[in-house]
């Protein structure tokens, strides 16, 4: 929560301070705007909006709420690095929108406070009333003033750090982690930098080059060398060719971004999920409980290649709404294959034999698929401590399976409007098909459609 006031243009912010209701009311009466960060953490209808938008857009969605006293302005003119939907919920507010600053469209960083004399003429001047929604593209300079009565509005924001530049960053990161063709950087980008690279590049080196330009001999010597930027440009062209010709590197980058998204998005409300239903049988059909709530990615097991290719199903079902959009935005995205994801427990051996008493995967008498759950020792310790805290949301392990199950798992995750009969699952043998269906049902992924009994021959069903 922040209290922001604009008096004679300076902006004063009271943040990270504990205040009682009397202090807040006093500051509000002085003209401060009350800003509540990510209120969806405490308000279920807003949480459902964020979850629904994230489910549709495939990227994070946040909310801020603002209460502004009558005839006051909380924030100086500025632009943001997100796409914004302003939703007026009480009173009215006049919004003035301006062209991109210096013509620089779609910035990746927010601006500071901008002086009035730098704005030019507004491209839009509109007063929002209750129920009105205003969309502002990323980088739109804006300012807003409450009218004769107090104003309350929400800003729903999205697409922060969600550009082709973000994808390129993830692709380079994924390529640097790749250890075999073709899901790696081309050889030209894996070449070592020349000795003394830092000493010959940068602001100081560029300044020295301008001084040396007056000396013909020095300029001739410099011209005879291939600049690193030329080699880098050629290497990036090699990378561009690889992206067009091979899907593997792009696929790994998308999985890297999806892992970050799934770890941080809002959980899907229970009433938006299909009911799990009874345990599957061979004669029933199953569907995925929610669209875009799960994702299948390749997984490199911490114990290495001895287990063969592995896959992992990641989910947002067990995320905590209390932490939504409140993480450290500077943290780098995790590689989905680096073993550093949600805290979990490794409860099943690669051969499918459970080594932990009471594990659900050992129950029911079926030869279960060799499922595992990704774990890290430090996370297990933290999870053990957090379980003792009252009201703390428990976290669920990611389901890890052998790569041979990839087609079958993808088939089930893609089953939405068209249920899949368990006998039709893309595996050999009814036992494996049923075991996979039961495993994914227990993980909360599948919903079971009841078996429809057939009428006896020669009889018609009553209407």
């Amino acid at each position: 929560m922040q209290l922001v006031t604009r008096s004679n243009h300076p902006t004063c912010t009271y943040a990270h301070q504990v205040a009682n209701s009397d202090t807040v009311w006093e500051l509000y009466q002085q003209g401060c705007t009350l800003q509540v960060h990510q209120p969806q953490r405490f308000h279920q209808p807003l949480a459902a909006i964020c979850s629904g938008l994230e489910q549709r857009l495939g990227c994070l969605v946040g909310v801020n709420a603002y209460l502004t006293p009558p005839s006051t302005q909380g924030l100086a003119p500025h632009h943001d690095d997100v796409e914004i939907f302003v939703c007026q919920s009480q009173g009215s507010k006049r919004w003035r929108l301006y062209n991109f600053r210096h013509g620089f469209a779609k910035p990746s960083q927010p601006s500071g406070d901008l002086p009035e004399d730098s704005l030019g003429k507004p491209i839009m001047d509109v007063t929002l009333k209750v129920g009105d929604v205003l969309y502002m593209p990323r980088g739109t300079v804006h300012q807003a003033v409450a009218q004769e009565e107090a104003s309350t509005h929400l800003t729903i924001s999205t697409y922060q750090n969600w550009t082709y530049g973000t994808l390129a960053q993830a692709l380079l990161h994924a390529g640097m982690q790749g250890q075999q063709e073709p899901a790696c950087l081309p050889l030209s980008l894996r070449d070592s930098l020349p000795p003394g690279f830092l000493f010959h590049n940068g602001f100081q080196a560029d300044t020295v080059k301008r001084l040396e330009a007056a000396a013909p001999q020095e300029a001739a010597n410099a011209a005879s060398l291939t600049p690193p930027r030329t080699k880098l440009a050629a290497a990036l062209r090699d990378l561009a060719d690889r992206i067009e010709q091979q899907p593997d590197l792009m696929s790994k980058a998308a999985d890297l971004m999806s892992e970050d998204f799934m770890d941080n998005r809002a959980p899907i409300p229970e009433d938006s999920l299909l009911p799990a239903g009874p345990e599957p049988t061979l004669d029933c059909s199953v569907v995925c409980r929610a669209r875009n709530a799960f994702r299948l990615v390749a997984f490199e097991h911490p114990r290495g290649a001895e287990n063969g290719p592995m896959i992992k199903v990641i989910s947002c079902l067990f995320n905590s709404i209390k932490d939504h959009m409140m993480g450290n935005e500077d943290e780098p995205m995790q590689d989905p294959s680096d073993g550093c994801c949600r805290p979990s427990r490794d409860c099943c051996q690669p051969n499918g034999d459970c080594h932990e008493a009471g594990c659900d995967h050992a129950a029911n008498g079926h030869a279960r698929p060799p499922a595992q759950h990704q774990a890290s020792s430090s996370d297990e310790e933290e999870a053990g401590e957090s379980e003792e805290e009252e009201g703390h949301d428990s976290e669920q392990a990611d389901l890890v399976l052998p790569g041979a199950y990839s087609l079958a798992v993808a088939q089930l995750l893609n089953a939405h409007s068209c249920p899949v009969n368990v006998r039709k699952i893309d595996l050999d043998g009814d036992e494996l098909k049923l075991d996979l269906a039961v495993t994914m049902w227990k993980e909360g992924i599948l919903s079971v459609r009841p078996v429809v009994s057939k009428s006896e021959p020669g009889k018609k069903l009553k209407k």
Side-chain angles (χ1 to χ4, degrees):
M1 179 184 295
Q2 287 192 134
L3 283 160
V4 182
T5 182
R6 240 188 125 221
S7 177
N8 296 325
H9 295 290
T11 300
C12 303
T13 303
Y14 303 86
H16 309 296
Q17 298 181 19
V18 177
N20 56 32
S21 58
D22 292 336
T23 303
V24 172
W25 178 242
E26 179 183 354
L27 291 169
Y28 175 80
Q29 289 182 313
Q30 294 174 9
C32 289
T33 288
L34 175 65
Q35 179 184 16
V36 180
H37 291 288
Q38 310 304 336
Q40 74 275 15
R41 295 175 294 140
F42 320 109
H43 189 60
Q44 177 56 33
L46 282 180
I49 290 174
C50 287
S51 176
L53 288 173
E54 289 177 341
Q55 194 174 2
R56 178 61 64 89
L57 297 174
C59 62
L60 297 178
V61 175
V63 180
N64 281 332
Y66 298 86
L67 172 60
T68 303
S71 304
T72 62
Q73 178 171 342
L75 298 172
H78 67 282
H79 71 65
D80 296 295
D81 59 342
V82 287
E83 310 282 336
I84 294 176
F85 297 88
V86 180
C87 306
Q88 190 71 26
S89 58
Q90 180 183 354
S92 59
K93 206 165 199 177
R94 179 189 178 192
W95 290 81
R96 283 173 288 174
L97 279 55
Y98 305 84
N99 276 319
F100 300 118
R101 192 181 182 203
H102 306 310
F104 187 73
K106 303 178 182 179
S108 58
Q109 297 292 330
S111 71
D113 294 349
L114 303 176
E116 294 273 357
D117 57 9
S118 70
L119 303 180
K121 293 182 178 181
I123 58 174
M124 179 180 288
D125 190 332
V126 62
T127 298
L128 298 187
K129 299 179 181 179
V130 175
D132 289 343
V133 177
L134 173 66
Y135 165 67
M136 288 188 290
R138 174 164 43 102
T140 302
V141 177
H142 58 275
Q143 60 178 326
V145 181
Q147 299 304 286
E148 291 77 13
E149 56 181 321
S151 166
T152 303
H153 76 268
L154 300 173
T155 59
I156 300 176
S157 57
T158 187
Y159 269 67
Q160 185 178 46
N161 297 325
W162 204 252
T163 66
Y164 279 99
T166 312
L167 176 59
Q169 184 181 28
L171 189 143
L172 285 170
H173 179 77
M176 292 180 70
Q177 300 298 318
Q179 296 299 308
Q180 60 183 6
E181 299 284 353
C184 62
L185 295 179
L187 183 60
S188 54
L189 275 175
R190 305 201 306 267
D191 282 345
S192 301
L193 292 171
F197 166 78
L198 293 180
F199 306 138
H200 303 292
N201 292 273
F203 181 77
Q204 177 178 326
D206 292 342
T207 304
V208 170
K209 289 173 186 175
R210 289 200 299 271
L211 293 173
E212 293 176 344
Q217 185 58 46
E218 293 291 341
N221 293 338
S224 65
L225 301 176
T226 302
R229 65 177 180 272
T230 301
K231 291 186 176 181
L232 177 60
L236 289 176
R237 281 188 282 272
D238 292 341
L239 177 61
D241 292 339
R242 171 160 295 193
I243 293 171
E244 285 191 325
Q245 297 166 9
Q246 297 283 352
D248 303 72
L249 194 54
M250 177 71 79
S251 178
K252 189 171 182 181
D255 284 346
L256 177 61
M257 294 173 69
S258 71
E259 182 92 355
D260 182 71
F261 169 58
M262 296 293 272
D263 276 349
N264 292 287
R265 64 185 287 193
I268 295 180
E270 187 66 29
D271 57 7
S272 296
L273 295 168
L274 293 175
E279 183 169 325
T281 65
L282 281 171
D283 295 321
C284 71
S285 296
V286 294
V287 293
C288 189
R289 295 184 68 198
R291 191 182 297 271
N292 299 332
F294 311 92
R295 186 174 177 99
L296 176 65
V297 298
F299 174 62
E300 296 178 12
H301 198 281
R303 288 195 287 268
E306 64 184 60
N307 296 286
M310 306 291 285
I311 57 173
K312 179 172 67 172
V313 179
I314 55 179
S315 165
C316 66
L317 292 191
F318 302 96
N319 290 357
S320 171
I321 192 62
K322 300 174 186 177
D323 303 324
H324 185 236
M325 300 299 290
M326 297 300 291
N328 183 1
E329 297 178 353
D330 295 328
E331 290 181 356
M333 289 182 291
Q334 295 284 355
D335 187 332
S337 63
D338 67 2
C340 299
C341 297
R342 284 180 285 279
S344 52
R345 58 191 180 91
D346 190 359
C347 66
C348 296
Q349 298 284 11
N351 61 5
D353 297 328
C354 183
H355 61 74
E356 185 168 323
C359 173
D360 290 340
H361 299 146
N364 85 9
H366 291 298
R368 303 297 300 241
Q372 304 176 49
H373 288 81
Q374 187 180 0
S376 66
S377 57
S378 60
D379 284 340
E380 284 177 341
E381 294 173 2
E382 293 177 3
E385 296 173 359
S386 64
E387 287 175 359
E388 300 175 0
E389 300 177 9
E390 184 177 355
H392 188 278
D393 293 339
S394 61
E395 297 191 30
Q396 180 78 2
D398 291 325
L399 176 65
V400 178
L401 293 162
Y405 286 80
S406 59
L407 291 178
V409 173
Q411 176 190 18
L412 294 173
L413 293 182
N414 225 35
H416 299 292
S417 56
C418 298
V420 174
N421 185 272
V422 173
R423 294 185 188 273
K424 300 293 185 180
I425 293 176
D426 197 346
L427 285 172
D428 293 329
D430 286 348
E431 188 175 18
L432 283 180
K433 295 175 182 180
L434 179 58
D435 290 338
L436 179 62
V438 171
T439 296
M440 294 181 67
W441 172 78
K442 286 194 171 185
E443 295 291 326
I445 300 171
L446 296 181
S447 170
V448 176
R449 297 293 177 89
V451 179
V452 179
S453 60
K454 298 180 180 178
S455 61
E456 296 180 13
K459 292 186 178 181
K460 294 183 178 180
L461 294 175
K462 294 182 178 179
K463 294 184 179 179

